[in-house]
Amino acid sequence: MFDNPGLISVCVVGDGEAETGALATAWHSNKFINPIRDGAVLPVLHLNGYKIANPTILSRISHEELEALFKGYGYKPYFVEGCDPALMHQKMADILETAISEIKAIQAEARSTGIAKRPLWPMIVLRSPKGWTGPTEVNGHKVEGFWRSHQVPMADVTTNPTHLKLLEDWMRSYKPEELFDANGRLIPELKTLAPQGTKRMSASPHANGGVLRKDLRLSDFRDYGVPVEYPGKSEVENTNPLGKFLRDVMRNNLQNFRVFGPDETASNRLNAIYEVSKKTWMGDFLPEDLDGSELATDGRLMEILSEHTLEGWLEGYLLTGRHGFFHTYEAFAENMPFADNSFDLVHTSAALHEMNPEQLQQILNEVYRVLKREGFLPWLISIPRLIRYFGRG
């Protein structure tokens, strides 16, 4: 939803997933949303209480502590709790309407005044039983509302008549005769409730970046080359020209290009980008920030130390049709958190020669995996001062 002011993305987070480091950091994403130019995320934390065989942390703290936690994260939490499906359905519909109305009000105020400030974004905590509407007990062991429902509570239904009857009663509790006709087709009045066209989740253009994507307006990269009269005379930092190139990419694509990295823009010598855009910052500003911090509410450089969160932001930005540049430490080069065939180019400099043979092989394997078929890996070998290219084609 970055640079996508009309989009509200509802993100459901399981309470098991909420215990991971990546999710713990991702809650801070709300501090990078500018309500004037961006859309919004409505997180739904689903607490069903258990993982595979263990309680979840957030489900076992008090309501007051949970509410305080998310208020501290900068959210306004709404709670939908219960076990009656009909009542819960209506509660959820009401809270969704309230939350979306609040999001639109936040955006309307920011866009009408032109003042971008960080609000308390709404979120929803949905608390429902694990294995909801399943068997209450199997062989005297609690199933619904307990971790056993995450597993296979009845694995012997082909040989155990009691369990087969229990399974049948469970399936019949959903009243399939009211949902399907004699031929097993969904009845018309329910079929008409399904979204049509691009309103379907699988057909949403926001989940298919190729539908919305516009080509970047790029300068000729050769214009950024460093003149070399003869070897050994010039001394130039290799990423400095890259920073100038990215500066101009940013200037020419201010609605569909962002740079992502973990507090490394300046140390990677890409700071020419600051001539066009600063680092996104919706938090408090201090007077000393004017002395080199390069912060702005309308910045287009996304910096947070969690590379998992950065990767998630970039993946979402690409999926919704935009373009990004990811620069980082090389600490995770041996196990990159990116999908196969993700990138046109992977760049590294003054690093590969530091790796032992096993590390180097693993890094090159990962680069090959994440590069598109026509992609390239240029790298600078420190001693010969030559650019080498590793291509997939």
Side-chain angles (χ1 to χ4, degrees), residues 1-5 7-9 39 204-214 255-256 258 260 312-324:
M1 51 77 227
F2 292 128
D3 299 317
N4 204 340
L7 181 65
I8 298 176
S9 179
S204 171
H206 295 292
N208 183 347
V211 175
L212 300 174
R213 186 174 59 244
K214 296 179 181 178
Q255 302 301 318
N256 66 335
R258 293 201 184 200
F260 301 79
W313 289 348
L314 176 60
E315 290 273 4
Y317 202 62
L318 298 178
L319 278 173
T320 48
R322 278 69 62 78
H323 304 266

Side-chain angles (χ1 to χ4, degrees), residues 100 151 158 164 218 224 233 262 269 285 294 297 319 335 357:
I100 290 174
Q151 303 178 6
T158 59
L164 179 60
L218 298 174
Y224 302 84
K233 182 178 180 180
R269 301 300 186 261
F285 281 82
E294 307 289 358
T297 58
L319 278 173
N335 187 21

Side-chain angles (χ1 to χ4, degrees), residues 350-364:
L352 295 180
H353 64 281
E354 301 286 352
M355 307 300 164
N356 63 45
E358 292 78 14
Q359 289 175 312
L360 181 59
Q361 184 62 59
Q362 181 62 27
I363 290 171
L364 293 179

Side-chain angles (χ1 to χ4, degrees), residues 223-251:
D223 294 343
Y224 302 84
V226 177
V228 178
E229 185 177 350
Y230 55 84
K233 182 178 180 180
S234 303
E235 183 173 332
V236 179
E237 293 176 315
N238 59 295
T239 54
N240 188 280
L242 176 62
K244 295 176 180 177
F245 176 73
L246 292 172
R247 172 200 63 196
D248 294 341
V249 174
M250 183 78 78
R251 178 183 286 119

Side-chain angles (χ1 to χ4, degrees), residues 255-368:
Q255 302 301 318
N256 66 335
F257 179 75
R258 293 201 184 200
V259 172
F260 301 79
D263 192 26
E264 284 290 280
T265 303
S267 59
N268 281 337
R269 301 300 186 261
L270 302 176
N271 38 310
I273 305 173
Y274 295 144
E275 297 171 23
V276 175
S277 187
K278 308 300 184 184
K279 292 176 280 190
T280 302
W281 188 255
M282 296 297 298
D284 292 342
F285 281 82
L286 302 177
E288 54 266 33
D289 289 329
L290 297 173
D291 185 19
S293 293
E294 307 289 358
L295 306 177
T297 58
D298 62 349
R300 305 191 60 77
L301 281 79
M302 311 297 292
E303 291 197 356
I304 189 172
L305 210 57
S306 169
E307 289 169 339
H308 290 91
T309 299
L310 288 166
E311 189 272 338
W313 289 348
L314 176 60
E315 290 273 4
Y317 202 62
L318 298 178
L319 278 173
T320 48
R322 278 69 62 78
H323 304 266
F325 179 85
F326 190 104
H327 65 99
T328 180
Y329 308 111
E330 306 208 11
F332 72 172
E334 297 168 65
N335 187 21
M336 300 183 196
F338 300 109
D340 297 354
N341 305 310
S342 295
F343 294 98
D344 296 301
L345 181 142
V346 175
H347 176 266
T348 182
S349 65
L352 295 180
H353 64 281
E354 301 286 352
M355 307 300 164
N356 63 45
E358 292 78 14
Q359 289 175 312
L360 181 59
Q361 184 62 59
Q362 181 62 27
I363 290 171
L364 293 179
N365 288 345
E366 279 293 277
V367 169
Y368 186 83

